[in-house]
Amino acid sequence: KAGVTQTPRYLIKTRGQQVTLSCSPISGHRSVSWYQQTPGQGLQFLFEYFSETQRNKGNFPGRFSGRQFSNSRSEMNVSTLELGDSALYLCASNGGGSYNEQFFGPGTRLTVL
Amino acid sequence: GENVEQHPSTLSVQEGDSAVIKCTYSDSASNYFPWYKQELGKRPQLIIDIRSNVGEKKDQRIAVTLNKTAKHFSLHITETQPEDSAVYFCAASYKKLTFGTGTRLTIIP
């Protein structure tokens, strides 16, 4: 099976802009979770989508949003970018069962200037 | 919400020795405890996991133990090798994964 893929791999934006990141889960996986990874804060949970519905949400401001399509692909959007949004954004997919065995994508490295 | 603490933040061991990383969690409802290894510039990879109905699990040189009463779990790596050098994250999950802050393990040849 192909693994989790994310596009783009690298992005450079300026403050105030918005950005959309994409994630394609492992075939057959219906759950996609997003994480922000920074040196200072580690891996922080953003949200999880399952069957096109947001199932769980972390403690991030409303500038961070997401959605999931009928083919389980997911997008994450960050509006009004701030310098502190510079991070590695990882998505992970799992089969949606009660044990969250997550498989991570390679991540998108976002730099905000 | 869930809070996961991980210690130590850095660990250096001589090649061939054992390494132990410890985590505590706060939410007694958590029922799944995975460990991830992240090499520099790469994605986190699941190396072992344990569910709340099991006290110990072993896979070759890697083992994980869980003490539900004390709410702590540990990763044990025996006969360490240079390729074990990486950052290791523990996590606890009920409905969502909460990660520890990571341990940078360095194996000294």
Side-chain angles (χ1 to χ4, degrees):
Chain A
K1 274 186 180 177
V4 179
T5 58
Q6 290 186 246
T7 57
R9 294 294 310 280
Y10 302 91
L11 264 179
I12 299 176
K13 293 284 188 179
T14 56
R15 279 180 298 174
Q17 287 187 309
Q18 67 94 27
V19 66
T20 300
L21 314 180
S22 180
C23 172
S24 292
I26 291 171
S27 178
H29 283 190
R30 296 164 63 191
S31 169
V32 173
S33 297
W34 288 89
Y35 298 85
Q36 182 194 66
Q37 186 173 28
T38 59
Q41 298 295 319
L43 275 158
Q44 302 277 312
F45 172 77
L46 281 153
F47 29 65
E48 180 201 7
Y49 285 85
F50 179 81
S51 293
E52 302 179 64
T53 302
Q54 189 179 85
R55 187 157 73 169
N56 286 297
K57 190 177 187 305
N59 298 321
F60 278 80
R63 300 185 298 107
F64 292 82
S65 63
R67 59 177 175 169
Q68 188 179 33
F69 302 95
S70 59
N71 62 357
S72 294
R73 188 177 71 85
S74 177
E75 287 183 348
M76 185 192 114
N77 185 275
V78 188
S79 62
T80 321
L81 284 165
E82 301 176 359
L83 295 178
D85 296 333
S86 294
L88 180 66
Y89 290 88
L90 292 157
C91 81
S93 77
N94 71 69
S98 56
Y99 298 105
N100 282 314
E101 301 176 28
Q102 310 242 355
F103 299 88
F104 282 89
T108 295
R109 172 75 61 187
L110 172 65
T111 302
V112 182
L113 301 175
Chain B
E2 174 69 280
N3 182 50
V4 177
E5 294 190 359
Q6 183 172 348
H7 300 280
S9 56
T10 60
L11 179 61
S12 295
V13 301
Q14 209 68 36
E15 182 178 353
D17 288 350
S18 296
V20 179
I21 302 170
K22 298 183 178 182
C23 290
T24 61
Y25 63 99
S26 60
D27 188 351
S28 56
S30 288
N31 59 1
Y32 175 64
F33 306 90
W35 287 85
Y36 286 85
K37 174 184 179 182
Q38 188 175 28
E39 296 175 71
L40 190 63
K42 297 191 175 179
R43 72 189 79 186
Q45 300 264 17
L46 179 72
I47 56 170
I48 195 167
D49 56 14
I50 192 167
R51 300 180 183 184
S52 59
N53 58 348
V54 175
E56 184 173 356
K57 184 177 178 180
K58 190 174 180 181
D59 182 3
Q60 299 181 4
R61 297 186 297 109
I62 294 172
V64 59
T65 59
L66 171 65
N67 183 326
K68 285 193 299 181
T69 303
K71 293 190 201 149
H72 65 71
F73 56 114
S74 301
L75 177 72
H76 304 252
I77 306 174
T78 58
E79 301 172 10
T80 53
Q81 300 168 2
E83 53 264 38
D84 294 330
S85 294
V87 178
Y88 291 80
F89 293 95
C90 64
S93 173
Y94 172 48
K95 292 185 177 180
K96 60 184 172 109
L97 270 179
T98 301
F99 284 87
T101 48
T103 296
R104 182 173 300 280
L105 175 63
T106 302
I107 307 302
I108 306 165

